[in-house]
Amino acid sequence: MAIEVGTQAPEFELKDNHGRTVKLSDFRGEKNVVLLFYPFAFTGVCTGELCALRDELPQFENDDTQLLAVSNDSIHTLRVFAEQEGLEYPLLSDFWPHGETSRAYGVFDEDKGCAVRGTFIIDKDGVVRWTVVNGLPDARDLNDYVKALGSL
């Protein structure tokens, strides 16, 4: 079950598609975080969602907000995916220990071995302020993210 609004977001430390370490605490006191979990790179719905974020990036990555997208793919897969799709925001690898961060947020599907579509908006104090979790085939609505960020 996904973590609930009003709870402290679980800390994580993951490698991005360039091999850099990214921690949630890096943004504490500085930026709100849109933490987006998606099943797999190079799949139809995931590519569509991540490219839609790319096309609206100033709303999700600016002085007040940082977008972080997490999958269970390796950093090498994520690097090629980001280059192919022109994704300039961090793609974080929850590859090993496999799904540890996805599990901490309650969005890991044990049967499929990947994260479901979970999004968490985390404020500058590290508290989850909004969340949505969709099944594997169901894309999320970016307009919902914009509304949630506007309420912070």
Side-chain angles (χ1 to χ4, degrees), residues 50-90:
L50 295 175
C51 288
L53 286 162
R54 173 200 65 204
D55 296 345
E56 300 294 329
L57 194 56
Q59 294 187 68
F60 303 106
E61 195 166 280
N62 53 53
D63 290 341
D64 285 325
T65 306
Q66 177 64 51
L67 173 63
L68 300 173
V70 181
S71 78
N72 304 115
D73 296 299
S74 73
I75 62 171
H76 310 291
T77 299
L78 295 176
R79 183 175 306 123
V80 173
F81 181 54
E83 288 172 4
Q84 177 178 307
E85 299 300 334
L87 305 175
E88 296 183 9
Y89 51 88

Side-chain angles (χ1 to χ4, degrees), residues 26 38 44 56 69 71 80 85 96 108 123 126 140:
D26 292 342
Y38 63 100
E56 300 294 329
S71 78
V80 173
E85 299 300 334
W96 197 258
F108 190 78
D123 70 13
R140 293 159 282 195

Side-chain angles (χ1 to χ4, degrees), residues 20-67:
R20 296 177 294 227
T21 299
V22 176
K23 299 184 284 186
L24 180 60
S25 58
D26 292 342
F27 305 100
R28 185 141 311 126
E30 302 290 324
K31 291 187 175 194
N32 301 307
V33 173
V34 176
L35 182 63
L36 176 124
F37 291 89
Y38 63 100
F40 294 111
F42 298 107
T43 58
V45 176
C46 295
T47 300
E49 284 188 318
L50 295 175
C51 288
L53 286 162
R54 173 200 65 204
D55 296 345
E56 300 294 329
L57 194 56
Q59 294 187 68
F60 303 106
E61 195 166 280
N62 53 53
D63 290 341
D64 285 325
T65 306
Q66 177 64 51
L67 173 63

Side-chain angles (χ1 to χ4, degrees), residues 67-148:
L67 173 63
L68 300 173
V70 181
S71 78
N72 304 115
D73 296 299
S74 73
I75 62 171
H76 310 291
T77 299
L78 295 176
R79 183 175 306 123
V80 173
F81 181 54
E83 288 172 4
Q84 177 178 307
E85 299 300 334
L87 305 175
E88 296 183 9
Y89 51 88
L91 302 182
L92 305 181
S93 174
D94 191 18
F95 184 72
W96 197 258
H98 189 72
E100 181 178 66
T101 300
S102 305
R103 283 183 181 91
Y105 281 80
V107 294
F108 190 78
D109 183 323
E110 296 290 340
D111 293 333
K112 304 274 191 225
C114 66
V116 296
R117 297 180 196 288
T119 303
F120 302 87
I121 299 212
I122 303 164
D123 70 13
K124 294 175 184 178
D125 295 323
V127 176
V128 176
R129 294 296 174 196
W130 182 87
T131 185
V132 64
V133 178
N134 288 3
L136 293 177
D138 303 321
R140 293 159 282 195
D141 186 345
L142 299 188
N143 293 320
D144 293 340
Y145 303 174
V146 173
K147 288 178 197 170

